[in-house]
C-alpha cells in the first residue's frame, strides 16, 4: 500500500507540476498569479473531449488517438492563452496600470471562459473515452494504472521540453531576460509583446495537457478549472516564481493528497492539505526553493 500510494502520488503530482510551472513562468515574467489558467484548462479539457469524439471515428489506433487529443488540447491552450494575453493583459501592461488590475483581469477571464463552456456544453458531466485496453500493469510489486504511467511520462516530457525552450533557444533567452524586467527588453532589440505572448502560450500549452489529464482522471465538468488552485498551492509550496521549486512542491502535494485520501477520505483530504500548507508557510514563508519575488498582485 505504501509503494502504491507513493507511485500514485508522484503521478498525480506530475500533473499538478504542469499547472504549477505555468504559474511560476507567468509569475516570473509579469509578476502576478495568473488565475485565468483555470479557464484555459477547462476549455482545453473540453476541446480534447470534442477531438476524441470526432477523431475516434477516423483513427483506429488508441495511441494515435490519444496523441491527437493531447495535441489538439495543447494547441487550443496555446491559442486561447495568446487571446487572453491580448484581451486581458496587454493594455494593462502598456498603460502600466495598478498591479491589482492584473489579478482582477485574470480572475475575470477565468470565470468568463468557464461560463462560456457552461453555455456551450451545459452543466452536464462528460467522460473521456477509454484510450487503453489494459487498465493496469504490475510494477514494483503493485499494480499501476496505465493512465497514471502515461500522465507521469508525458508530464516529465513536457517539463523537459519547457526547460529546453527556456535554456537552449533564443525565445527562451528572451523570456528569461523578460523575467528581470519585461519593459526594458525592448532596449536590447527584443519585442516584449512577443515574449509575453510566448510565455502565455507556453503556459497555455501546459494547461492544455494538464486539462486532458484531469479530464481523464476526474469527470469532465465546467468547473474543472478550479483544480488550478492545486497548481497554485504547489507553486506557493515550491516558492513563488521558482520553476524547479514548483515541480518539487507539486510532487509533494500529489503524494500528500493520495496519502490523506487513503487515511481520512477524499472529503477531508483538502482540509488537511491546506492545514499542512499553512503550517509549512509559517515555518518557511519563502517556500521550498527559498525564492523572494516581488509580487504585483
Amino acid at each position: 500500500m505504501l509503494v502504491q500510494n507513493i507511485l500514485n502520488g508522484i503521478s498525480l503530482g506530475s500533473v499538478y507540476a504542469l499547472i504549477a510551472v505555468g504559474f511560476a513562468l507567468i509569475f516570473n515574467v509579469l509578476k502576478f498569479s495568473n488565475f485565468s489558467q483555470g479557464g484555459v484548462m477547462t476549455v482545453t479539457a473540453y476541446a480534447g473531449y470534442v477531438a476524441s469524439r470526432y477523431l475516434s471515428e477516423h483513427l483506429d489506433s488508441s495511441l494515435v488517438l490519444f496523441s491527437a487529443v493531447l495535441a489538439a488540447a495543447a494547441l487550443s491552450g496555446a491559442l486561447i492563452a495568446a487571446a487572453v494575453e491580448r484581451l486581458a493583459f496587454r493594455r494593462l501592461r502598456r498603460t502600466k496600470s495598478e498591479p491589482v488590475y492584473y489579478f482582477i483581469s485574470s480572475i475575470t477571464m477565468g470565470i468568463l471562459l468557464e461560463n462560456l463552456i457552461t453555455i456551450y456544453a451545459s452543466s452536464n458531466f462528460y467522460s473521456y473515452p477509454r484510450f487503453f485496453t489494459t487498465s493496469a500493469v504490475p510494477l514494483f510489486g503493485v499494480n499501476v494504472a496505465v493512465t497514471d504511467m502515461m500522465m507521469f511520462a508525458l508530464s516529465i516530457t513536457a517539463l523537459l521540453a519547457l526547460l529546453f525552450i527556456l535554456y537552449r533557444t533564443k525565445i527562451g533567452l528572451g523570456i528569461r531576460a523578460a523575467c528581470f524586467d519585461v519593459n526594458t527588453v525592448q532596449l536590447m532589440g527584443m519585442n516584449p509583446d512577443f515574449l509575453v505572448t510566448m510565455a502565455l502560450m507556453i503556459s497555455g500549452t501546459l494547461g492544455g495537457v494538464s486539462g486532458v489529464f484531469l479530464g481523464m482522471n476526474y469527470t469532465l465538468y465546467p468547473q474543472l478549472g478550479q483544480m488550478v488552485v492545486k497548481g497554485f498551492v504547489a507553486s506557493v509550496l515550491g516558492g513563488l516564481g521558482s520553476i524547479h521549486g514548483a515541480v518539487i512542491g507539486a510532487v509533494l502535494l500529489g503524494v500528500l493528497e493520495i496519502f490523506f485520501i487513503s487515511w481520512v477520505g477524499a472529503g477531508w483530504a483538502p482540509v488537511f492539505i491546506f492545514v499542512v500548507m499553512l503550517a509549512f508557510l509559517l515555518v518557511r514563508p519563502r517556500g521550498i526553493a527559498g525564492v523572494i519575488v516581488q509580487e504585483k498582485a
Side-chain angles (χ1 to χ4, degrees):
M1 180 62 75
L2 177 65
V3 176
Q4 181 84 61
N5 284 342
I6 291 175
L7 292 177
N8 291 343
I10 292 175
S11 174
L12 181 61
S14 64
V15 179
Y16 291 159
L18 295 177
I19 309 172
V21 167
F23 261 105
L25 183 62
I26 301 306
F27 194 91
N28 271 320
V29 176
L30 294 176
K31 307 296 186 291
F32 80 100
S33 299
N34 177 27
F35 281 95
S36 68
Q37 185 78 346
V40 174
M41 280 172 44
T42 301
V43 176
T44 56
Y46 275 83
Y49 174 76
V50 172
S52 70
R53 301 290 294 181
Y54 174 75
L55 295 175
S56 61
E57 300 176 359
H58 305 280
L59 298 175
D60 296 329
S61 171
S62 298
L63 187 59
V64 174
L65 175 61
F66 179 63
S67 302
V69 168
L70 272 182
L75 178 61
S76 61
L79 295 177
I80 294 168
V84 168
E85 189 278 333
R86 187 68 181 85
L87 294 173
F89 303 139
R90 182 169 297 186
R91 181 173 174 78
L92 293 176
R93 184 165 48 80
R94 286 182 174 178
T95 58
K96 298 181 180 179
S97 301
E98 291 295 324
V100 68
Y101 291 117
Y102 284 86
F103 181 74
I104 294 173
S105 189
S106 70
I107 291 282
T108 303
M109 286 303 300
I111 296 173
L112 173 64
L113 291 172
E114 286 187 2
N115 279 291
L116 287 176
I117 285 296
T118 303
I119 293 172
Y120 171 74
S122 74
S123 299
N124 294 334
F125 293 84
Y126 299 91
S127 296
Y128 269 86
R130 187 174 177 180
F131 291 105
F132 309 105
T133 54
T134 303
S135 59
V137 294
L139 183 68
F140 300 123
V142 297
N143 290 323
V144 181
V146 173
T147 304
D148 288 344
M149 293 178 64
M150 293 298 291
M151 289 193 324
F152 175 75
L154 291 174
S155 297
I156 295 299
T157 302
L159 293 174
L160 290 176
L162 170 64
L163 293 177
F164 177 82
I165 292 173
L166 287 180
Y167 292 98
R168 290 291 185 271
T169 66
K170 289 184 179 179
I171 293 176
L173 178 63
I175 291 175
R176 286 189 288 130
C179 291
F180 289 98
D181 192 335
V182 70
N183 294 316
T184 58
V185 294
Q186 196 168 5
L187 300 176
M188 295 178 280
M190 301 178 188
N191 185 341
D193 292 341
F194 174 75
L195 294 175
V196 172
T197 301
M198 288 305 300
L200 263 294
M201 290 181 73
I202 291 172
S203 175
T205 301
L206 296 177
V209 175
S210 59
V212 171
F213 287 150
L214 291 175
M216 291 170 57
N217 230 19
Y218 305 96
T219 305
L220 195 59
Y221 57 102
Q223 287 73 40
L224 182 69
Q226 294 176 2
M227 297 291 290
V228 76
V229 175
K230 299 288 183 64
F232 178 68
V233 170
S235 181
V236 172
L237 283 175
L240 277 170
S242 170
I243 290 180
H244 69 274
V247 174
I248 296 172
V251 173
L252 179 62
L253 177 65
V255 172
L256 281 176
E257 182 173 330
I258 293 298
F259 271 99
F260 279 131
I261 290 175
S262 175
W263 292 334
V264 299
W268 280 95
V271 177
F272 281 86
I273 287 173
F274 282 106
V275 168
V276 169
M277 185 188 76
L278 289 174
F280 179 83
L281 291 180
L282 286 174
V283 177
R284 191 176 173 81
R286 299 175 184 177
I288 295 171
V291 174
I292 300 177
V293 179
Q294 183 63 41
E295 187 180 11
K296 280 184 176 178

